[in-house]
Amino acid sequence: MSRDRERPTGVVSGSFKFKRDIDLAIEEFEDNGVNILAPKLGPLLLLPNHTNFHPLRHEYHLPIKLIEDDFLMSIQQADFLYVVNVDGYAGLMVSGEIGAAVAC
């Protein structure tokens, strides 16, 4: 952890089909003094013509690549990555995010 920050920082990763579980983890971390950099709390926006991608409501106008690049940047800046894997399921995107965290 960087000495210029008072609070540890983290990123919570997981399949967004478990977004409620992700939000619960974020709330628990924040209640215990951890600053979660990504993702933001809140519901997903279910858009037509987006087969496997569902952005958060504040991201609906952004390109998918920019959303994921911002998430990966948050991983680089964080002190840790926490993975929510309900019933052992992580998915391909989460696997890549774990790889990004290991690379840091």
Side-chain angles (χ1 to χ4, degrees):
M1 179 172 55
S2 174
R3 294 175 197 244
D4 61 341
R5 293 191 307 230
E6 293 181 22
R7 295 173 40 181
T9 59
V11 169
V12 178
S13 179
S15 170
F16 269 13
K17 66 179 165 180
F18 304 117
K19 182 64 166 77
R20 182 67 190 134
D21 295 288
I22 292 169
D23 284 351
L24 290 171
I26 292 168
E27 290 169 350
E28 184 73 21
F29 278 119
E30 290 180 344
D31 287 348
N32 286 284
V34 178
N35 181 24
I36 297 299
L37 303 177
K40 301 294 182 207
L41 292 170
L44 302 174
L45 184 61
L46 302 178
L47 298 175
N49 303 323
H50 285 82
T51 56
N52 290 322
F53 185 78
H54 303 290
L56 296 171
R57 288 191 179 174
H58 72 277
E59 299 170 329
Y60 79 94
H61 63 286
L62 299 173
I64 294 170
K65 181 172 178 5
L66 179 61
I67 294 168
E68 186 60 22
D69 286 350
D70 285 347
F71 194 85
L72 294 174
M73 180 67 72
S74 294
I75 290 172
Q76 290 177 356
Q77 295 170 349
D79 295 316
F80 68 89
L81 175 70
Y82 182 84
V83 177
V84 173
N85 62 339
V86 177
D87 295 329
Y89 181 82
L92 292 176
M93 291 296 292
V94 175
S95 297
E97 292 162 359
I98 292 168
V102 170
C104 293

